[in-house]
Amino acid sequence: EEAPSAVLTDELRDEMGRTAIKVAKSCRYVGAGTVEFLYDQGDFYFLEMNTRLQVEHPVTEWITGIDLVEQQIKIAQGEALDFKQEDLAIHGHAIELRVYAEDSFDNFMPSVGTLERYRPPSGENIRVDDGFREGMQVPIHYDPMLSKLITWGKTRNEAIQRMLTAIEAYEVVGVSTTLPF
């Protein structure tokens, strides 16, 4: 996942945004949600509306400076948002990938075991959302996602380079991961 889209013009992005607002208003939707579109050679088509935050919400948070989880909680408590759509602007570029306990060299088969070493990368403009710690078991009974790795840069190329550096710094021993992929 990355934001903003590298293939959309500002005009098309604005049109998609206005269309997403119309979709939400048409069903009197209140809350955090996502309207998804398919893009094909200059045209876009409604795909679905998710009435929840997406797994990829950190890329939006990073380029807008808005904590979407905090806003979702405020809405659930009956509070009004303290910003309007026209207040939002895009700053920089963010990329997110999912780190799975899967063996990318063996048809992405699940990899279970003990995280003998688990050291996610850290640093400026690197974010890791995870729920695992060193010494924990990675079981076969659940989704094998270990974490989400998100990077931000002033430009897309800077975000990509930061992501490559973060991937290289990620240390996982005890299970195979999708990091080499």
Side-chain angles (χ1 to χ4, degrees):
E1 182 76 19
E2 65 179 291
S5 169
V7 299
L8 296 182
T9 64
D10 288 341
E11 295 77 25
L12 191 55
R13 183 176 295 106
D14 288 342
E15 185 180 351
M16 284 179 152
R18 287 190 305 274
T19 302
I21 291 168
K22 287 179 187 175
V23 167
K25 285 183 176 182
S26 73
C27 61
R28 293 188 285 278
Y29 183 71
V30 175
T34 305
V35 178
E36 294 185 15
F37 300 100
L38 289 175
Y39 173 75
D40 180 34
Q41 300 177 16
D43 294 318
F44 65 93
Y45 308 92
F46 174 78
L47 177 63
E48 67 180 353
M49 181 173 177
N50 294 296
T51 55
R52 57 178 167 76
L53 289 180
Q54 298 285 83
V55 171
E56 303 84 5
H57 74 271
V59 295
T60 302
E61 290 180 338
W62 229 333
I63 66 166
T64 62
I66 302 289
D67 183 330
L68 296 175
V69 175
E70 177 186 28
Q71 296 306 316
Q72 184 178 30
I73 292 167
K74 284 182 173 184
I75 292 167
Q77 293 174 332
E79 296 178 34
L81 296 176
D82 53 4
F83 63 90
K84 297 197 179 306
Q85 184 71 31
E86 54 270 12
D87 297 332
L88 300 177
I90 294 172
H91 303 284
H93 201 94
I95 298 175
E96 176 180 321
L97 60 81
R98 299 178 192 189
V99 179
Y100 281 96
E102 294 177 340
D103 188 344
S104 55
F105 297 108
D106 186 18
N107 204 28
F108 294 92
M109 294 298 292
S111 181
V112 299
T114 302
L115 289 172
E116 298 166 17
R117 185 177 197 83
Y118 182 75
R119 307 262 169 89
S122 62
E124 186 176 0
N125 298 321
I126 296 172
R127 172 177 166 175
V128 177
D129 291 357
D130 64 6
F132 282 94
R133 299 292 173 260
E134 196 166 284
M136 291 179 74
Q137 292 289 316
V138 177
I140 192 134
H141 305 291
Y142 305 102
D143 185 315
M145 185 169 68
L146 296 177
S147 70
K148 299 183 302 186
L149 176 60
I150 311 100
T151 59
W152 180 89
K154 292 177 186 168
T155 65
R156 183 172 189 253
N157 190 52
E158 187 178 309
I160 290 169
Q161 293 308 311
R162 187 164 284 123
M163 179 62 75
L164 293 172
T165 300
I167 289 169
E168 193 65 33
Y170 218 120
E171 296 180 52
V172 181
V173 176
V175 298
S176 296
T177 72
T178 52
L179 288 166
F181 178 72

